[in-house]
Amino acid sequence: MPETSEAEESGRTAPGPPAPSPSAFPAPGGAAVNGGGLRELTSLQVLRTLDTGPRGLTDGDAAERLARFGENTLPARRAVSWPGRFLRSLRDPFTAVLLCLGLVSAAVAAWGTACVITVLVVVSCVLRSAGEHRADRSMAGLRDLVATTATVLRRADGKAAPVAREIPVDELVPGDVVRLGPGDLVPADVRLLRANNLSVNQAALTGESAPVVKHPVDAPNRPGGRPTGGAPTDNALTGHGHEPTHDGSTRNGPTGNGHGPAGNGNGPTGHVPTGGGATGGEAPESGPFDAPQLCFQGSSVMAGSGTAVVVATGVHTRFAAAHDSVHPRGPSAFDRSVHGISWILIRFMLLTPPLVLMANAALRGRGLETLPFAVAVAVGLTPEMLPVIVTTCLARGASLLARVHGVIVRRLPALHDLGAVDVLCLDKTGTLTQDRPVVVRALDADGRDDPEVLHWAAVNAWWTLQLADLPVPDALDEAILDADDALGEAILVAHDASDACGTADAADTADTADTADGDDGDDASGHDVPGRDRADVVGHGRGAAVPFDYDGIAAVPFDPARRLSTAVVRTPGRLGVHTLVVKGAVENVLERCALDDAERQRLLALAADRADDGLRLLAVATAERPARQRAYTPADERGLTFTGFVALREELVPSAAGALRVLADRGVTVKVLTGDHPGTVARACRDLGLDPGEVCTVDGIDRLTDRELAELADRTTVFARCTPEHKARIVTTLRAAGHTTGFLGDGVNDLPALHAADVGICPRDAVDVARESAGVVLAGHGKDLTAIDHAIAEGRRSSVTIATYLRITLSSNLGNVIAMLAAGLLLPFLPMLPAQALVQNLCFDAAQLTFSYDRVAPAALRRPTMLRPRDFLRFITAFGALNAVADLATFAVLALALRGPGGTDDEALFHSGWFTENLLTQALVMVLLRTGRRTAEAPGASGARGVFGIRGISPVGRAAAALAVTGLLLPLSPLGPPLGMTALPSVYYLLLVVVLGLYAVALAVARRRHENRGARA
């Protein structure tokens, strides 16, 4: 396709208005583009407005504009300093609760408790800051992988010739003339001046996976007309509501209107695009991305080349406008859970000290001297190790994901959110499909499989490529050639197998037939001739040689108006005859075939039926003409003989089907939110084993209330034709309905949904603003669902560990608080000295650290895990009361069995007995309430179990054993007397065994009932 431009004939534009001010330059995020300003201007008018020309800017002009408009970058994301990260970590609700308790402890001179709390807070904040700092360093490495240069025409001065040079993208300014080629990223918002079969992928901006053809438009749009200099607007399949795609194939569109992306196409041998509405209807108003003369930052060149003028840079691009329009992220699932549990703790702690003070004042006549004890009771209720445990679990999980699976967790709480995800929203392209077409079938005019159709399509693809001025194959031609090659190899293998199984006579007969046909695979000496055997075998299977055995005569390349391409070849052995092989959009090929109206309508209906099934169709036709020297033109594409259809679909991601099954087994519901066609995405889902159900297009979503949309979203798997706003609203509605949602996206059009989800996920090659917005980045290649599954599993391990710690700690602490309150009212002395309470807490806290290294049972990973405050409240209330009963039974043993009714006056004995019992019961709770304990152990492995019924290799088992030993030996050690403890008589240990045995049985029964209740729920 020749390069054309009205502006290229002149060097500098004719004198126009004086150099515009910054406000005069159009901002493609603003009125100039959205309001159609640039679209209404010719190329010359745009150049005059920008005070530039097709030869580009001078170095001086560029430097002046760079100083005036700033660099072509988005607003910089300020790096967070270490002190800033540390202070931000202090805002965590759990950490804030501990800080308040530390201040209260210091106020009542409980310096030991205050120091321990301060150390725990510092350790937690340092661990969290270090984890997020490592994630940011990994993100910086990914940013360095992004291309940062562009090819621009610049001149030393006004009289010098323009020189193409590579400059950093951030140095581009409005008025620069840039060159675009295959694989280039569009560096700014630009207006095309020239184009040669240019097609651009705008998926990062629009979500539409099909490349879009772009070409200059040198005259303004007129109502009811079409722009000159560009492609005409073609209607969809008449009467069927289907639209041709960028490749000239036909795929399904919204029934009844058939409108879709305007003018998509690809490559010199590419096949087509269209915009269009249904026949007889009024074309819908198109958005700026549909304008064929405009290309936008964030898109990439798929094929062809072009020259364009920069119309907007930096914060004025649509890329930046999409980023600025994103609303701040709301609280995630982790935030909501943490706040809920924190408020439960705060209520308990605010209630406890006044109760202790009032009870002691009323029953014992004590005053403020019991304030330290009241504070100790409140501190005893608090899980001091919670920030450390949470940070350690999440940091270990994030480190493992980055090291083993290439998943970067940018915010540690996002790992918990992954574990709680029960709905994962994703796009089709790059996740379920590879955005690369693959041939499914080749059909004749009756809809039967016919390899001859594929053969002629391959001939067209091969020779239009070989005879092109710029031989750049597009994805469709590559798919056709690959399929033809695979078919030939299959026939060759089948032929060899037949020869191996046949008799010698059959082989001789075959050789004779080959010789008679003149297609010997051997030379006169009997040696193989490379490249001949395959052609012979394929020729026998399909009646023709491979594409490169023909003689290429000429090619009439694809253009958006005809929406087809033609190769002219000469068949070996047929002198004086040229064969025209035509391939392209179904309706355009059929209208050039020698068919009556009834047959043409039948074939259109057949194509529509296949398109409804999500396939993309190309029509193939041939014609024989007498050989000639005169050049072939589009006028020769008439009187064709229809050959058949080539049906294609996007190639599936090999790992997607297995990953979808695993996600379903984990209780994660996958919902596909895509800008693609309903039939295409439904076909991909079916091929992967995901039932699409009734595909919902988003046309009517705007009329639904939030409740109606929630009901629709709950029962719908696939939403097609989604805009960014629709994606964000669907995700928000799912969250409001009680789901924890994850969203996988990579483009600017995904930003609103990434912010709306509980956890945003994006691949490493996503646009910068998407990576900065996501909580999780897949550092491997593409949007790998397998990596997401690993991340979800690791998130659930961390969440299960945190939940286990909370249940065990809070239930034990609540039991101790109830027992302390009862003992404080019944005894004439404090039931536990502050130093003893501090040592007990330190021992229990040290043992609880091992929860971060515990193995989680596989059964615990099969459903989403979330910290639900109400569930925790029920659990800790039930098991805390059970723990308090065990403590009170111990009080009875100490009071009655050892010293008689008045024996409670022995403070040291009472303190020692309760200290020992406390650590032993906490060790029992660690073992018996550990999540998945029974499931994690293999049946019959009891002989290999270590202390407390678990394997010796279990970190929690070893910690529980150490805790029990500490409780038994510390009162007997030299440290006992300084802490106010003494040795206990032997009979106490015998009675304590009875109490602990009954407590263990009660724990097991209560746990079984709790698990059964949870299973029924």
Side-chain angles (χ1 to χ4, degrees), residues 811-812 814-815 818 875-888 999:
S811 58
S812 296
L814 180 60
I818 294 174
F875 185 95
I876 65 176
T877 301
F879 285 87
L882 195 59
N883 183 275
V885 170
D887 287 343
L888 294 175
Y999 178 54

Side-chain angles (χ1 to χ4, degrees), residues 274-285:
T274 179
T279 300
E282 184 176 343
E285 182 180 354

Side-chain angles (χ1 to χ4, degrees), residues 678-722:
T680 303
V681 66
R683 173 65 183 251
C685 291
R686 286 194 298 271
D687 291 344
L688 290 170
L690 178 65
D691 183 12
E694 182 180 352
V695 179
C696 176
T697 56
V698 297
D699 301 335
I701 282 184
D702 293 332
R703 297 190 298 270
L704 298 179
T705 65
D706 289 342
R707 172 176 290 185
E708 292 171 338
L709 181 58
E711 295 174 355
L712 177 65
D714 196 53
R715 65 175 185 268
T716 302
T717 300
V718 176
F719 290 88
R721 293 296 193 188
C722 287

Side-chain angles (χ1 to χ4, degrees), residues 142 162 200 307 314 379 687 745 803:
L142 293 181
V200 173
T307 301
V379 172
D687 291 344

